[in-house]
PDB file of all heavy atoms in Angstrom:
ATOM      1  N   ILE A 125      44.183 -18.517   4.579  1.00 98.00           N
ATOM      2  CA  ILE A 125      44.324 -19.839   5.190  1.00 98.00           C
ATOM      3  C   ILE A 125      44.398 -19.728   6.714  1.00 98.00           C
ATOM      4  O   ILE A 125      43.813 -20.543   7.436  1.00 98.00           O
ATOM      5  CB  ILE A 125      45.563 -20.566   4.628  1.00 98.00           C
ATOM      6  CG1 ILE A 125      45.327 -20.955   3.160  1.00 98.00           C
ATOM      7  CG2 ILE A 125      45.893 -21.802   5.452  1.00 98.00           C
ATOM      8  CD1 ILE A 125      46.551 -21.513   2.467  1.00 98.00           C
ATOM      9  N   LYS A 126      45.106 -18.731   7.219  1.00 98.00           N
ATOM     10  CA  LYS A 126      45.182 -18.523   8.668  1.00 98.00           C
ATOM     11  C   LYS A 126      43.788 -18.281   9.254  1.00 98.00           C
ATOM     12  O   LYS A 126      43.442 -18.825  10.319  1.00 98.00           O
ATOM     13  CB  LYS A 126      46.095 -17.343   8.995  1.00 98.00           C
ATOM     14  CG  LYS A 126      47.571 -17.606   8.755  1.00 98.00           C
ATOM     15  CD  LYS A 126      48.397 -16.371   9.092  1.00 98.00           C
ATOM     16  CE  LYS A 126      49.872 -16.604   8.825  1.00 98.00           C
ATOM     17  NZ  LYS A 126      50.684 -15.380   9.107  1.00 98.00           N
ATOM     18  N   ARG A 127      42.992 -17.476   8.576  1.00 98.00           N
ATOM     19  CA  ARG A 127      41.630 -17.220   9.039  1.00 98.00           C
ATOM     20  C   ARG A 127      40.780 -18.485   8.986  1.00 98.00           C
ATOM     21  O   ARG A 127      39.976 -18.750   9.884  1.00 98.00           O
ATOM     22  CB  ARG A 127      40.996 -16.111   8.191  1.00 98.00           C
ATOM     23  CG  ARG A 127      41.648 -14.744   8.423  1.00 98.00           C
ATOM     24  CD  ARG A 127      41.432 -13.814   7.242  1.00 98.00           C
ATOM     25  NE  ARG A 127      40.010 -13.684   6.908  1.00 98.00           N
ATOM     26  CZ  ARG A 127      39.568 -13.258   5.722  1.00 98.00           C
ATOM     27  NH1 ARG A 127      40.430 -12.935   4.766  1.00 98.00           N
ATOM     28  NH2 ARG A 127      38.278 -13.145   5.509  1.00 98.00           N
ATOM     29  N   LEU A 128      40.965 -19.274   7.928  1.00 98.00           N
ATOM     30  CA  LEU A 128      40.225 -20.530   7.811  1.00 98.00           C
ATOM     31  C   LEU A 128      40.592 -21.490   8.938  1.00 98.00           C
ATOM     32  O   LEU A 128      39.717 -22.134   9.535  1.00 98.00           O
ATOM     33  CB  LEU A 128      40.515 -21.181   6.459  1.00 98.00           C
ATOM     34  CG  LEU A 128      39.864 -22.549   6.234  1.00 98.00           C
ATOM     35  CD1 LEU A 128      38.341 -22.434   6.200  1.00 98.00           C
ATOM     36  CD2 LEU A 128      40.385 -23.188   4.943  1.00 98.00           C
ATOM     37  N   LYS A 129      41.887 -21.580   9.245  1.00 98.00           N
ATOM     38  CA  LYS A 129      42.328 -22.474  10.313  1.00 98.00           C
ATOM     39  C   LYS A 129      41.710 -22.076  11.649  1.00 98.00           C
ATOM     40  O   LYS A 129      41.342 -22.945  12.465  1.00 98.00           O
ATOM     41  CB  LYS A 129      43.856 -22.478  10.392  1.00 98.00           C
ATOM     42  CG  LYS A 129      44.522 -23.214   9.237  1.00 98.00           C
ATOM     43  CD  LYS A 129      46.007 -22.952   9.166  1.00 98.00           C
ATOM     44  CE  LYS A 129      46.737 -23.513  10.353  1.00 98.00           C
ATOM     45  NZ  LYS A 129      48.212 -23.312  10.234  1.00 98.00           N
ATOM     46  N   LYS A 130      41.575 -20.787  11.872  1.00 98.00           N
ATOM     47  CA  LYS A 130      40.959 -20.327  13.116  1.00 98.00           C
ATOM     48  C   LYS A 130      39.503 -20.756  13.193  1.00 98.00           C
ATOM     49  O   LYS A 130      39.035 -21.235  14.236  1.00 98.00           O
ATOM     50  CB  LYS A 130      41.073 -18.808  13.217  1.00 98.00           C
ATOM     51  CG  LYS A 130      40.543 -18.241  14.526  1.00 98.00           C
ATOM     52  CD  LYS A 130      40.771 -16.743  14.619  1.00 98.00           C
ATOM     53  CE  LYS A 130      40.249 -16.193  15.951  1.00 98.00           C
ATOM     54  NZ  LYS A 130      40.494 -14.720  16.064  1.00 98.00           N
ATOM     55  N   ARG A 131      38.776 -20.616  12.089  1.00 98.00           N
ATOM     56  CA  ARG A 131      37.366 -21.026  12.077  1.00 98.00           C
ATOM     57  C   ARG A 131      37.235 -22.543  12.221  1.00 98.00           C
ATOM     58  O   ARG A 131      36.367 -23.027  12.963  1.00 98.00           O
ATOM     59  CB  ARG A 131      36.688 -20.556  10.784  1.00 98.00           C
ATOM     60  CG  ARG A 131      35.213 -20.980  10.659  1.00 98.00           C
ATOM     61  CD  ARG A 131      34.404 -20.487  11.825  1.00 98.00           C
ATOM     62  NE  ARG A 131      33.003 -20.905  11.747  1.00 98.00           N
ATOM     63  CZ  ARG A 131      32.226 -21.069  12.820  1.00 98.00           C
ATOM     64  NH1 ARG A 131      32.693 -20.853  14.050  1.00 98.00           N
ATOM     65  NH2 ARG A 131      30.973 -21.430  12.664  1.00 98.00           N
ATOM     66  N   THR A 132      38.080 -23.292  11.551  1.00 97.00           N
ATOM     67  CA  THR A 132      37.988 -24.747  11.649  1.00 97.00           C
ATOM     68  C   THR A 132      38.345 -25.235  13.055  1.00 97.00           C
ATOM     69  O   THR A 132      37.792 -26.224  13.532  1.00 97.00           O
ATOM     70  CB  THR A 132      38.901 -25.427  10.613  1.00 97.00           C
ATOM     71  OG1 THR A 132      40.266 -25.024  10.827  1.00 97.00           O
ATOM     72  CG2 THR A 132      38.489 -25.067   9.200  1.00 97.00           C
ATOM     73  N   HIS A 133      39.249 -24.529  13.701  1.00 97.00           N
ATOM     74  CA  HIS A 133      39.587 -24.877  15.089  1.00 97.00           C
ATOM     75  C   HIS A 133      38.374 -24.674  15.993  1.00 97.00           C
ATOM     76  O   HIS A 133      38.119 -25.488  16.892  1.00 97.00           O
ATOM     77  CB  HIS A 133      40.762 -24.041  15.575  1.00 97.00           C
ATOM     78  CG  HIS A 133      41.130 -24.295  17.002  1.00 97.00           C
ATOM     79  ND1 HIS A 133      41.719 -25.473  17.424  1.00 97.00           N
ATOM     80  CD2 HIS A 133      40.971 -23.523  18.128  1.00 97.00           C
ATOM     81  CE1 HIS A 133      41.910 -25.417  18.737  1.00 97.00           C
ATOM     82  NE2 HIS A 133      41.466 -24.252  19.179  1.00 97.00           N
ATOM     83  N   GLN A 134      37.627 -23.612  15.753  1.00 97.00           N
ATOM     84  CA  GLN A 134      36.415 -23.373  16.536  1.00 97.00           C
ATOM     85  C   GLN A 134      35.417 -24.512  16.353  1.00 97.00           C
ATOM     86  O   GLN A 134      34.806 -24.989  17.323  1.00 97.00           O
ATOM     87  CB  GLN A 134      35.780 -22.043  16.115  1.00 97.00           C
ATOM     88  CG  GLN A 134      36.587 -20.821  16.494  1.00 97.00           C
ATOM     89  CD  GLN A 134      36.026 -19.551  15.869  1.00 97.00           C
ATOM     90  OE1 GLN A 134      35.263 -19.596  14.900  1.00 97.00           O
ATOM     91  NE2 GLN A 134      36.405 -18.397  16.417  1.00 97.00           N
ATOM     92  N   LEU A 135      35.252 -24.970  15.128  1.00 97.00           N
ATOM     93  CA  LEU A 135      34.304 -26.049  14.855  1.00 97.00           C
ATOM     94  C   LEU A 135      34.743 -27.353  15.520  1.00 97.00           C
ATOM     95  O   LEU A 135      33.913 -28.100  16.048  1.00 97.00           O
ATOM     96  CB  LEU A 135      34.157 -26.238  13.343  1.00 97.00           C
ATOM     97  CG  LEU A 135      33.524 -25.062  12.589  1.00 97.00           C
ATOM     98  CD1 LEU A 135      33.641 -25.267  11.084  1.00 97.00           C
ATOM     99  CD2 LEU A 135      32.070 -24.881  12.995  1.00 97.00           C
ATOM    100  N   ILE A 136      36.038 -27.630  15.496  1.00 96.00           N
ATOM    101  CA  ILE A 136      36.552 -28.830  16.158  1.00 96.00           C
ATOM    102  C   ILE A 136      36.337 -28.737  17.665  1.00 96.00           C
ATOM    103  O   ILE A 136      35.895 -29.690  18.318  1.00 96.00           O
ATOM    104  CB  ILE A 136      38.047 -29.034  15.847  1.00 96.00           C
ATOM    105  CG1 ILE A 136      38.243 -29.433  14.384  1.00 96.00           C
ATOM    106  CG2 ILE A 136      38.657 -30.080  16.776  1.00 96.00           C
ATOM    107  CD1 ILE A 136      37.909 -30.860  14.045  1.00 96.00           C
ATOM    108  N   THR A 137      36.643 -27.583  18.227  1.00 96.00           N
ATOM    109  CA  THR A 137      36.508 -27.382  19.671  1.00 96.00           C
ATOM    110  C   THR A 137      35.061 -27.553  20.122  1.00 96.00           C
ATOM    111  O   THR A 137      34.794 -28.110  21.201  1.00 96.00           O
ATOM    112  CB  THR A 137      37.008 -25.975  20.060  1.00 96.00           C
ATOM    113  OG1 THR A 137      38.383 -25.845  19.670  1.00 96.00           O
ATOM    114  CG2 THR A 137      36.909 -25.759  21.557  1.00 96.00           C
ATOM    115  N   MET A 138      34.123 -27.104  19.291  1.00 95.00           N
ATOM    116  CA  MET A 138      32.705 -27.233  19.634  1.00 95.00           C
ATOM    117  C   MET A 138      32.155 -28.628  19.374  1.00 95.00           C
ATOM    118  O   MET A 138      30.993 -28.908  19.673  1.00 95.00           O
ATOM    119  CB  MET A 138      31.892 -26.192  18.861  1.00 95.00           C
ATOM    120  CG  MET A 138      32.148 -24.762  19.300  1.00 95.00           C
ATOM    121  SD  MET A 138      31.066 -23.544  18.485  1.00 95.00           S
ATOM    122  CE  MET A 138      31.794 -23.485  16.847  1.00 95.00           C
ATOM    123  N   GLU A 139      33.000 -29.495  18.802  1.00 93.00           N
ATOM    124  CA  GLU A 139      32.627 -30.887  18.534  1.00 93.00           C
ATOM    125  C   GLU A 139      31.350 -30.986  17.700  1.00 93.00           C
ATOM    126  O   GLU A 139      30.468 -31.802  17.947  1.00 93.00           O
ATOM    127  CB  GLU A 139      32.480 -31.673  19.846  1.00 93.00           C
ATOM    128  CG  GLU A 139      33.759 -31.736  20.663  1.00 93.00           C
ATOM    129  CD  GLU A 139      33.615 -32.565  21.920  1.00 93.00           C
ATOM    130  OE1 GLU A 139      32.481 -32.949  22.263  1.00 93.00           O
ATOM    131  OE2 GLU A 139      34.655 -32.849  22.547  1.00 93.00           O
ATOM    132  N   LEU A 140      31.298 -30.150  16.659  1.00 94.00           N
ATOM    133  CA  LEU A 140      30.131 -30.120  15.789  1.00 94.00           C
ATOM    134  C   LEU A 140      30.313 -31.044  14.586  1.00 94.00           C
ATOM    135  O   LEU A 140      31.434 -31.239  14.106  1.00 94.00           O
ATOM    136  CB  LEU A 140      29.889 -28.700  15.289  1.00 94.00           C
ATOM    137  CG  LEU A 140      29.477 -27.661  16.334  1.00 94.00           C
ATOM    138  CD1 LEU A 140      29.467 -26.273  15.715  1.00 94.00           C
ATOM    139  CD2 LEU A 140      28.117 -27.996  16.906  1.00 94.00           C
TER     140      LEU A 140
END
Side-chain angles (χ1 to χ4, degrees):
I125 290 172
K126 289 179 181 178
R127 292 157 54 200
L128 177 65
K129 288 167 66 177
K130 184 176 181 179
R131 178 57 181 153
T132 59
H133 177 70
Q134 292 171 341
L135 294 171
I136 290 284
T137 301
M138 291 185 285
E139 299 183 350
L140 293 172

